[in-house]
Amino acid sequence: MSGESQPVLEVENLAVEYRRGRHITRAVENISFGIAAGETLGLVGESGSGKSTIGKAILGLAPLTEGVIRYRGTDLSTLTRAQRRALAKDVQVIFQDPHSSLDPTKPIGYSIAEPVQIHEPGPKAVVRERVFEMLRRVGLSEDAAQRFPAQFSGGQKQRIAIARALILAPKLVVCDEPVSALDLSIQAEVINLMAELQHETGASYLFISHDLSIVHYLSDRIIVLRKGHVVEQGTAEEIYRDPRQDYTRRLLDAAPIPDPVAQAQRTAAREKDGLTARTDAIVSHIR
């Protein structure tokens, strides 16, 4: 983690409402946190907890009802559209579905080069070499640049999406369930890759997931959300090893681990404490 005193991101008293006709739903309320340079903050909660809404608000994809979001001291609500577009150089996103960031009609070299062409245009040879370098960093060969998204596996496409998000060396990356659609072995590969690239670039991550075990692996700190509110927060080790709230303990039970024997032992230990274990807790892979 960097020694910079100013957080890369500050969220203060955030609230977001969605309106459907006369019906108003407050998706998140009174959310506050900061992310330091080089730090990973995990947002974890079940479906409907509001974690993805927070990510969308930071990216300008969900309107703020209350509160303020600052990037390196600048209130994002004061930015013009042009300034917001320029901010994309420093703030990138990795989605759950890599299809959303890859044009199926273009070779993947085009998709990876596109942010460079927009924000840091230069000679074609220079841009091409940047693309090749980024492909190598995510474990793909240079000739992959000429192939189309349909020619790659799910894990490879997520690596390509990561290359596209990180080619401009952003200061902040919003990672919205980036591995939840991948199988166990590929999840591990992608998480390790993200950790390595963060170490190399010094980027800050906001890592959003329903799986507390994955969030724990990558995060410095964790915020647990339920129905739009903060249930508890602390260091990754505090939350994972000694959660204070029953809801957090249930999230741990709901996050299966690859060893069925270890999973059974963990579930049995929780049951002794009077907690309700999921009926499908003993599984052989991470979803």
Side-chain angles (χ1 to χ4, degrees), residues 17-115:
E17 290 179 348
Y18 293 114
R19 296 172 180 264
R20 292 184 178 178
R22 295 182 179 181
H23 183 69
I24 299 174
T25 301
R26 182 156 285 210
V28 296
E29 185 170 20
N30 194 30
I31 303 296
S32 297
F33 60 82
I35 304 178
E39 181 183 33
T40 297
L41 175 67
L43 287 183
V44 64
E46 61 193 350
S47 178
S49 63
K51 57 188 185 298
S52 290
T53 295
I54 295 171
K56 290 177 181 177
I58 293 166
L59 295 168
L61 303 177
L64 275 63
T65 303
E66 297 173 10
V68 61
I69 299 175
R70 298 187 187 91
Y71 171 73
R72 305 184 82 177
T74 299
D75 183 348
L76 296 184
S77 68
T78 67
L79 300 183
T80 65
R81 286 188 177 183
Q83 290 172 324
R84 188 83 202 206
R85 284 194 297 270
L87 185 65
K89 179 180 182 297
D90 284 344
V91 181
Q92 285 287 319
V93 59
I94 303 170
F95 292 108
Q96 174 180 350
D97 181 4
H99 295 291
S100 59
S101 55
L102 300 176
D103 186 339
T105 68
K106 303 287 186 181
I108 63 101
Y110 174 92
S111 294
I112 296 173
E114 188 176 27

Side-chain angles (χ1 to χ4, degrees), residues 113 117 123-134 145-146:
Q117 301 284 21
K124 288 184 178 180
V126 174
V127 174
R128 184 169 57 249
E129 182 52 39
R130 288 183 67 176
V131 171
F132 289 164
E133 172 61 21
M134 203 66 224
Q146 306 303 318

Side-chain angles (χ1 to χ4, degrees), residues 22-255:
R22 295 182 179 181
H23 183 69
I24 299 174
T25 301
R26 182 156 285 210
V28 296
E29 185 170 20
N30 194 30
I31 303 296
S32 297
F33 60 82
I35 304 178
E39 181 183 33
T40 297
L41 175 67
L43 287 183
V44 64
E46 61 193 350
S47 178
S49 63
K51 57 188 185 298
S52 290
T53 295
I54 295 171
K56 290 177 181 177
I58 293 166
L59 295 168
L61 303 177
L64 275 63
T65 303
E66 297 173 10
V68 61
I69 299 175
R70 298 187 187 91
Y71 171 73
R72 305 184 82 177
T74 299
D75 183 348
L76 296 184
S77 68
T78 67
L79 300 183
T80 65
R81 286 188 177 183
Q83 290 172 324
R84 188 83 202 206
R85 284 194 297 270
L87 185 65
K89 179 180 182 297
D90 284 344
V91 181
Q92 285 287 319
V93 59
I94 303 170
F95 292 108
Q96 174 180 350
D97 181 4
H99 295 291
S100 59
S101 55
L102 300 176
D103 186 339
T105 68
K106 303 287 186 181
I108 63 101
Y110 174 92
S111 294
I112 296 173
E114 188 176 27
V116 180
Q117 301 284 21
I118 294 171
H119 296 285
E120 297 176 354
K124 288 184 178 180
V126 174
V127 174
R128 184 169 57 249
E129 182 52 39
R130 288 183 67 176
V131 171
F132 289 164
E133 172 61 21
M134 203 66 224
L135 283 170
R136 291 191 292 267
R137 290 175 76 183
V138 300
L140 296 172
S141 61
E142 293 181 6
D143 61 7
Q146 306 303 318
R147 294 155 58 192
F148 291 81
Q151 297 174 271
F152 295 91
S153 68
Q156 288 173 325
K157 281 186 279 193
Q158 195 61 290
R159 287 173 175 269
I160 294 163
I162 291 170
R164 188 180 194 276
L166 297 185
I167 193 168
L168 294 175
K171 305 299 183 185
L172 174 68
V173 183
V174 177
C175 311
D176 192 357
E177 298 272 13
V179 298
S180 63
L182 306 176
D183 65 32
L184 171 60
S185 61
I186 305 302
Q187 279 187 349
E189 290 178 5
V190 172
I191 289 294
N192 287 333
L193 171 64
M194 292 178 66
E196 291 169 7
L197 291 174
Q198 183 182 38
H199 180 73
E200 293 175 15
T201 65
S204 302
Y205 288 165
L206 177 65
F207 196 92
I208 299 167
S209 179
H210 65 279
D211 191 327
L212 187 49
S213 62
I214 290 177
V215 172
H216 157 258
Y217 179 83
L218 195 62
S219 300
D220 298 293
R221 293 182 296 118
I222 294 174
I223 293 177
V224 181
L225 298 169
R226 184 185 189 192
K227 296 181 179 179
H229 294 82
V230 175
V231 173
E232 70 175 299
Q233 56 186 309
T235 68
E237 286 302 311
E238 288 171 345
I239 298 298
Y240 189 75
R241 302 296 180 190
D242 189 25
R244 298 188 302 273
Q245 301 297 321
D246 286 351
Y247 175 74
T248 307
R249 297 188 186 102
R250 289 196 295 270
L251 284 178
L252 280 168
D253 283 336

